[in-house]
């Protein structure tokens, strides 16, 4: 998987032919019910796709960013235990990359951990003396709970369960906890706006 990230970065820089990158949006993600999946490199799939791939792509394209460019990581607040009981229990890289055993809820917990890793990566990049000197802004963006994306298992049974059980529950919880109010996939238009907007 990480080889495909390297190939992508090489293809992008080759196609740009020296034109600097004004905005880099790191938005790819996967979500699984468990932690059984592995990337070609042997990493747990959610950790590999949601965190390692973003980290590697940001590092590979960093030298090609324009001065005053924007780097945006799509994250979430699912890492916050005050928002969800499935917040990550550990940020030990070895356990995230190679979890010993998958239990109920571990797929969601892996997603939450990967999003927290994105936030920490963004903070680390924002503190980079080179990026600060070049006026590069590093942001994290939380689109909120977004339905209709087929993120995770898009099978008919899972889709029925989400539509008939989970989403109605979230609508009720959203009356008391705004973080559970679900928006449409079109909410990601705000992500495009953030990438285009000048200044911090």
């Amino acid at each position: 998987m990480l080889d495909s990230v390297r190939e992508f970065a090489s293809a992008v820089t080759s196609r740009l032919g020296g034109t600097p990158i004004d905005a880099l949006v790191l938005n790819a993600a996967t979500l699984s019910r468990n932690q059984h999946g592995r990337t070609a490199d042997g990493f747990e799939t959610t950790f590999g796709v949601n965190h390692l791939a973003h980290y590697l792509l940001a590092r590979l394209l960093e030298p090609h960013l324009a001065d005053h460019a924007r780097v945006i990581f799509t994250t979430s607040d699912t890492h916050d235990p005050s928002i969800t009981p499935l917040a990550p229990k550990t940020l030990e890289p070895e356990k995230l990359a190679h979890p010993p055993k998958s239990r109920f809820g571990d797929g969601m917990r892996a997603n939450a951990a990967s999003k927290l890793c994105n936030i920490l990566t963004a903070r680390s990049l924002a503190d980079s003396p080179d990026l600060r000197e070049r006026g590069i802004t590093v942001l994290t963006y939380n689109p909120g709970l977004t339905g209709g994306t087929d993120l995770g298992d898009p099978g008919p049974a899972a889709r029925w369960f989400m539509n008939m059980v989970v989403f109605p529950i979230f609508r009720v919880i959203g009356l008391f906890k705004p973080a559970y109010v679900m928006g449409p996939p079109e909410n990601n238009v705000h992500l495009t706006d953030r990438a285009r907007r000048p200044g911090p």
Side-chain angles (χ1 to χ4, degrees):
M1 181 204 70
L2 295 180
D3 282 345
S4 69
V5 175
R6 294 183 183 94
E7 289 170 11
F8 175 76
S10 177
V12 166
T13 54
S14 174
R15 183 169 181 178
L16 289 174
T19 302
I21 298 168
D22 293 318
L24 174 61
V25 178
L26 301 156
N27 187 47
T30 187
L31 176 64
S32 178
R33 290 172 293 177
N34 55 54
Q35 293 179 301
H36 299 317
R38 294 293 180 269
T39 67
D41 313 277
F43 300 114
E44 191 277 322
T45 302
T46 303
F47 182 70
V49 172
N50 297 8
H51 171 58
L52 294 179
H54 287 163
Y55 176 86
L56 178 59
L57 186 60
R59 287 298 190 190
L60 291 172
L61 295 181
E62 182 181 323
H64 304 279
L65 294 172
D67 289 350
H68 307 290
R70 291 186 154 228
V71 178
I72 303 176
F73 289 81
T74 299
T75 59
S76 76
D77 50 14
T78 56
H79 65 279
D80 186 343
S82 70
I83 301 288
T84 172
L86 294 176
K89 290 186 174 180
T90 181
L91 276 183
E92 294 179 47
E94 182 60 30
K95 287 186 178 178
L96 293 175
H98 308 286
K101 187 178 179 183
S102 183
R103 297 171 301 237
F104 175 77
D106 278 354
M108 293 293 291
R109 203 179 303 281
N111 181 66
S114 73
K115 295 304 181 180
L116 180 54
C117 288
N118 290 156
I119 292 171
L120 296 175
T121 297
R123 289 191 67 170
S124 175
L125 287 174
D127 287 339
S128 162
D130 178 55
L131 268 61
R132 288 163 77 175
E133 186 177 323
R134 294 164 57 197
I136 294 172
T137 302
V138 183
L139 303 169
T140 58
Y141 172 76
N142 176 12
L145 188 60
T146 306
T149 63
D150 280 345
L151 185 64
D153 181 358
R159 189 176 292 117
W160 180 90
F161 181 75
M162 295 299 287
N163 288 331
M164 301 305 291
V165 179
V166 176
F167 294 160
I169 290 172
F170 281 175
R171 277 194 287 276
V172 173
I173 296 173
L175 297 172
F176 309 97
K177 285 193 167 189
Y180 283 85
V181 175
M182 183 168 307
E186 292 76 22
N187 275 359
N188 274 336
V189 73
H190 300 303
L191 180 58
T192 306
D193 292 341
R194 292 299 292 169
R196 293 178 176 169
R197 187 180 307 167

